[in-house]
Amino acid sequence: MVKKYKSLQVIAASALAISLTACGSGGDSKSTASPAAGASATPATGKNITITFQNIYPDPTDPKNGMLKKIVADYQAKNPNIKIELDSLNTDQQKLKLKTQAASKEVPDITVVNPAAQMQPFVDAGLFAPLNDMVEQNGLKATFQEGILNWYSFKNNIYALPDGNNIGVVYYNKDLFKQAGIADVPKTFEEMVADVKILKSKGIQPMAIGEKDSWTGSFLFMNVLLRTNGGPGFLQAVVDGKKTFNDPAFTDAVSSFQDLIQAGAFQEGATSFDYNAGENLFKTGKAAMYYMGSWATGGIETSSVNGKVGVFQFPTVKGKGNPDEFMLAPGSAFAVSANSKNLKETKDFLNYFMLNFPKEAFAVKGAVGLAQKVDGDFKAAGYSDMAMDVLGLFKKVKGGDLAFDNTMNPGTAQGHLSSIQNLFVQKVDAAAVAKEHQTAYDTNKK
């Protein structure tokens, strides 16, 4: 899958930049699913069936949580013999639980996976059912952005359907910036570190993060590396044998990242805050900045800070990088267990769920950064200026990188996640961090 990285990177950037242009401008991008979205699947039999649906929408303040429950309730009303049993977990909890379930070959009927390298071991183990036939039903395949399903495909089979196609952005609280006397957003990483120190001196928490879920720090660090490398492709260069983790681009990224941490950017005990707890610091006005994927827009828009939040691109680092290159985040995706006792009914439900996903997400202000085309005018629907600004950033995308754990094999990724998480606890020499990464890579490469 890593070999497909460069071409798929271009596909993802193009999909982000092109497919969202009409949506962001209030255009008439139409979902071909609309006519069939209200149709109910017809169960193969009248027997009572329970479908287990593992998901990562546990936060009741997140619009997608309510959207999930609405679609499920609508489906159950149309199919009274089918019960959808929800298992809602945060991202790291779900990853750990799925690993345990996979080891015993007891994968839920529907579960959640991340693209590319993260899902490949499950596919190789034969745990997921191909969805090629199902995506052709009711026009579902045509609802997805061009090229997005490639991230979830192996040997011409589609194994999962994504909920999003996002970019990494910095959200900031305009009121807290003004309170600290900061007139403009930082244009360089060095300015960002300086702003952190100003905010800290004014008694304002500079940034929020949920680093108990270790991917959050990695996602931020990778944007620093995207800049210090002067552009995308550092990890691919390592895989191709052209670079090692001892390269100055990597050690410079570690040093700069630690500058941010050591300046006091993040809340005390950041590694004890999970994703939801970290995000809620920002959503309740207790932190001035929050770096996250654009999927966070909906939750922020329906929080108490709505109307006070702006967004900006991740800045240059030491004069390097292009702010129009983003961390690209093809979203988590729904996969179906190959061993499901109710395979047809499970596929029918997932087909219904995904057909209705864009419409319902749009209705609850959660449609920024979807993997599917959206039928609707965002501005006319009352989406905030912040949401419109995020949509505007999508149009700027000129490429970027994938998250570390979507690119490298799981063993190397785990070594990376632990190494970066440790930086939130103690300062470590950049060369030592590079050595940790290189050792993990050399130990786990095939």
Side-chain angles (χ1 to χ4, degrees), residues 159-181:
Y159 285 99
L161 302 179
D163 61 358
N165 195 14
N166 290 274
I167 53 175
V169 301
V170 186
Y171 299 90
Y172 74 103
N173 186 310
K174 296 177 182 179
D175 284 0
L176 293 182
F177 265 50
K178 184 177 180 180
Q179 187 178 323

Side-chain angles (χ1 to χ4, degrees), residues 189-201 204-207 255-267 289 423 427:
F189 187 79
E190 295 70 35
E191 288 178 3
M192 179 183 279
V193 173
D195 286 346
V196 161
K197 293 176 180 178
I198 293 170
L199 289 159
K200 194 82 173 173
S201 72
I204 299 169
Q205 177 58 49
M207 300 185 78
S255 296
S256 293
F257 189 61
Q258 291 202 102
D259 287 345
L260 188 66
I261 295 173
Q262 295 300 315
F266 303 103
Q267 74 273 19
M289 287 182 281
L423 301 182
K427 187 173 183 179

Side-chain angles (χ1 to χ4, degrees), residues 319-379:
K320 296 179 180 179
N322 180 355
D324 289 340
E325 291 172 338
F326 292 77
M327 286 303 297
L328 306 173
S332 55
F334 301 107
V336 172
S337 171
N339 299 318
S340 172
K341 294 177 181 177
N342 302 294
L343 187 58
K344 181 188 183 302
E345 292 83 0
T346 299
K347 285 185 175 181
D348 284 345
F349 165 70
L350 184 57
N351 180 274
Y352 178 92
F353 183 84
M354 297 309 299
L355 283 170
N356 283 275
F357 193 95
K359 178 186 70 174
E360 298 298 343
F362 182 77
V364 296
K365 304 287 195 302
V368 174
L370 293 194
Q372 292 165 278
K373 302 165 191 174
V374 178
D375 181 5
D377 183 325
F378 284 78
K379 193 165 186 64

